[in-house]
Amino acid sequence: MSATIVIGPYSEADRAALTEAFAPVFVASPAELAGLDNATREAARAVAFKGHRPFDGAAMDLLPALGLIANFGVGYDAIDVAAADARGIRVTNTPDVLNDDVADLAVAMLLMRGREMEQASQWARSGQWKEKGEYRLNRKVSGGKAGILGLGRIGREIADRLAAFKMEIHYFARSEKETPGWIYHADPVSLAAAVDYLVVVLVGGKETEKFVSAEVIEALGPRGILVNISRGTTVDEAALLDALEQGRLYGAALDVFLGEPDIDPRFYALDNVVLQPHQGSGTVETRAAMAKLQRDNVAAFHAGAPLLTPVN
Ligand code: NAP
């Protein structure tokens, strides 16, 4: 009987590595745990979890000997950590190994929207360049003012990159941080009002739900570009769509959405939005590093050794 259950979609290489290390039982989602026989569920001491479907207390109760949920990803908002705490279950995540990729994508999205690269590419591809001449002038990005909403691990990497674009860096966090002279804002509306580009890098979950409110979006205003690589929940998406449709916000570049991948179809009709399919950490190298860190946490747990990257 296996002591490990693997939940979620894994690549062939990751499945092979998990199989070699733990000879686990695989299921597609937490909802499938109920379909496992009693002996399998009772033997499970660790879960390797990947995905964004909720892993709640009821799912944990199906595995009475569970001691660890090792999340694939730094954001663990799908896991009810309070429910895990109440059951003495440890939770781990995969921080840091993905910082560079997520920061790279955020900066690329900002440039892509600011310099209208999607539309300009279409101009070239469709032959309009040849027929109508040069593409319309767009906006300068270097030297602008950038706001980082959530100056954590990834937020800092983004700020460092944007500073290299000679941008003035402003940020919000719950307390002022040591920085190379970046400007602190104690509330998100003040941050949004001060910048042209607002990059959202908050944790997800209940506490940050709609942190980017209608008021924040209004403060960012008709010259403002919102970049979100955190979670769909951190932005008031209805207010964002209204502002984009009515030209009260210049544009947005989004990697995360409510209800993804079944996103609001209003996004498809907008040409002032860059859409990315939640691929912030989606490189071969980084996904392999995340998978290894997850396996290392599971192995440490089974060996009774300290967890590498604990959440609780
Ligand atoms: P982190 O180091 O923990 O930083 C999180 C930031 O969120 C910090 O600035 C923190 O503020 C802020 N925060 C936490 N709780 C808050 C609250 N209740 N109210 C206001 N602010 C709060 O996390 P990270 O490693 O940078 O990752 C950030 C997030 O990015 C992840 O949680 C995940 O959702 C998302 N992410 C997305 C992708 C993607 O593919 N698009 C990939 C990786 C991560 P303080 O500094 O004040 O603590």
Side-chain angles (χ1 to χ4, degrees), residues 189-268:
V189 176
S190 152
L191 175 69
V195 301
D196 311 309
Y197 304 92
L198 184 64
V199 187
V200 189
V201 211
L202 296 167
V203 300
K206 281 268 166 266
E207 283 182 26
T208 56
E209 207 170 321
K210 296 188 183 170
F211 210 82
V212 179
S213 60
E215 206 186 341
V216 171
I217 293 164
E218 193 186 319
L220 191 55
R223 258 197 67 75
I225 292 180
L226 180 78
V227 179
N228 187 12
I229 54 88
S230 63
R231 287 288 183 263
T233 50
T234 59
V235 174
D236 183 338
E237 206 172 77
L240 174 65
L241 280 159
D242 287 348
L244 288 166
E245 284 171 355
Q246 295 159 17
R248 289 185 284 107
L249 188 68
Y250 184 84
L254 310 168
D255 188 43
V256 286
F257 304 82
L258 293 178
E260 60 187 49
D262 185 16
I263 69 173
D264 193 316
R266 286 166 72 191
F267 281 116
Y268 301 134

Side-chain angles (χ1 to χ4, degrees), residues 74-75 98 102 150-155 172-175 177 201-204 207-208 211 229-231 255-256 278 280-281:
V74 66
L98 40 60
V102 183
L151 196 72
R153 290 171 291 244
I154 299 171
F172 160 88
R174 288 171 295 179
S175 57
K177 315 255 179 194
V201 211
L202 296 167
V203 300
E207 283 182 26
T208 56
F211 210 82
I229 54 88
S230 63
R231 287 288 183 263
D255 188 43
V256 286
H278 197 155
S281 65

